[in-house]
Amino acid sequence: MAIVAPSLLAADFSALGEEVNRVRGAQILHIDIMDGNFVPNLSMGPQVMKSLRDKTDQVFDVHLMLLHPLSYIPIFRRAGGDWLTFHIECADDPRKVLAAIEESGAKPGLAIKPATPVEDLYPYCDNLHSVTVMTVEPGFGGQKLQRAPLEKIRELKKRFPRLLIKVDGGVNLDTAPLCRQAGADVLIAGTGVFRAENPARAMAMLQGD
Ligand code: DX5
Ligand code: ZN
C-alpha cells in the first residue's frame, strides 16, 4: 500500500506551524528546498525547517533541488532532516554527496527529473534508501503530472525491489491510482493535500483507502 507525504510547498507560508498540524496524521512531511540555480525558484531554508522540527515527530523528507548539495548536507541534517534527497543531475559528484549523507546519519535518496534516463540511477541504487521519481519539472507546485516517468517506477521496482520509491509532482485524485499501479511506495502531494478542505480525508483518498 502507498502512503502519502504532504509537500509543504503548497501550504500557507504565513502559518506553517498550523499547516503542519493540519497534516499531523501523515508519517512523512516532504520539504522542498530550492536554490534559484538548479531550479528557477526559491522556497525555504534550514532556519524555517529547524523552527518546524520541534512542532512534530514526523519524518522530514527533504528534497534538495540544489546545484551544489554537498556543502549543505550537514546543514540540513542539523536542521532536522531525516531523509535527504538530492538530484542525480546536480553539479557535485553523487558519490561524495551520498557519502556525506551517510556520515550525517540521514537516509540517502536520489531524485530524477522527467527527462533523465532511469539507467543513470542504477550505479547508485544499492546504496540508496529511496528514489524520488519526478513527474513534473522540479521547481513549482501545481503542475500537471507527466505519465512517461511512471515507467521508471516500474523499472526500478523490478530491478531493486527493496528500494523505496517516491513519486513527486501532480499527484491528485485523478493521477494517484496511476502512481499506485506503477508501484510507488510514497505519493508526494502538495496541492492535492494542502488545498483540500479536509487534508486528512484527501490523504486517505490519495492512498486509496
Ligand atoms: C516540485 C516539488 C514538489 C511539489 C509538488 O518541485 O518537488 O514536491 O511540491 O507539488 P504538487 O503536488 O502541487 O504538484
Ligand atoms: Zn519535492
Side-chain angles (χ1 to χ4, degrees):
M1 201 186 99
I3 59 171
V4 173
S7 173
L8 205 57
L9 194 64
D12 174 356
F13 273 42
S14 73
L16 281 180
E18 286 162 40
E19 290 286 75
V20 168
N21 194 37
R22 281 175 80 215
V23 297
R24 62 187 173 277
Q27 297 166 39
I28 304 164
L29 190 66
H30 183 82
I31 302 179
D32 289 301
I33 307 295
M34 306 180 187
D35 68 351
N37 280 302
F38 184 76
V39 291
N41 197 7
L42 295 158
S43 53
M44 60 193 122
Q47 203 176 343
V48 173
M49 233 182 86
K50 198 168 195 308
S51 56
L52 291 172
R53 189 60 287 184
D54 295 342
K55 309 262 178 217
T56 174
D57 293 332
Q58 284 159 316
V59 169
F60 278 6
D61 172 38
V62 185
H63 180 185
L64 299 169
M65 285 164 268
L66 309 177
L67 194 57
H68 290 286
L70 184 57
S71 58
Y72 286 95
I73 297 304
I75 295 170
F76 281 97
R77 177 61 175 159
R78 277 199 300 274
D82 298 296
W83 299 356
L84 297 182
T85 285
F86 66 102
H87 271 265
I88 183 79
E89 304 89 354
C90 76
D92 291 333
D93 176 354
R95 297 239 174 254
K96 286 192 183 155
V97 185
L98 286 173
I101 297 174
E102 289 288 351
E103 201 187 312
S104 79
K107 294 202 168 149
L110 269 169
I112 183 164
K113 296 210 269 184
T116 305
V118 68
E119 293 78 18
D120 289 10
L121 293 172
Y122 295 168
Y124 307 100
C125 282
D126 287 333
N127 299 310
L128 296 177
H129 161 258
S130 72
V131 163
T132 302
V133 173
M134 297 295 305
T135 39
V136 299
E137 270 311 305
F140 298 91
Q143 304 180 72
K144 191 172 178 284
L145 174 136
Q146 300 176 26
R147 287 184 180 220
L150 295 175
E151 202 45 48
K152 292 179 192 172
I153 300 176
R154 292 199 173 85
E155 276 304 316
L156 287 164
K157 272 281 143 190
K158 228 187 291 166
R159 280 176 184 259
F160 306 99
R162 295 208 326 259
L163 195 58
L164 188 78
I165 309 291
K166 299 177 274 174
V167 58
D168 188 7
V171 179
N172 56 33
L173 287 179
D174 294 330
T175 58
L178 301 172
C179 300
R180 295 197 305 263
Q181 281 153 22
D185 302 297
V186 178
L187 311 182
I188 296 163
T191 311
V193 172
F194 280 102
R195 305 291 161 93
E197 208 171 298
N198 183 337
R201 198 160 158 260
M203 286 192 284
M205 285 170 78
L206 290 168
Q207 262 166 224
D209 293 353

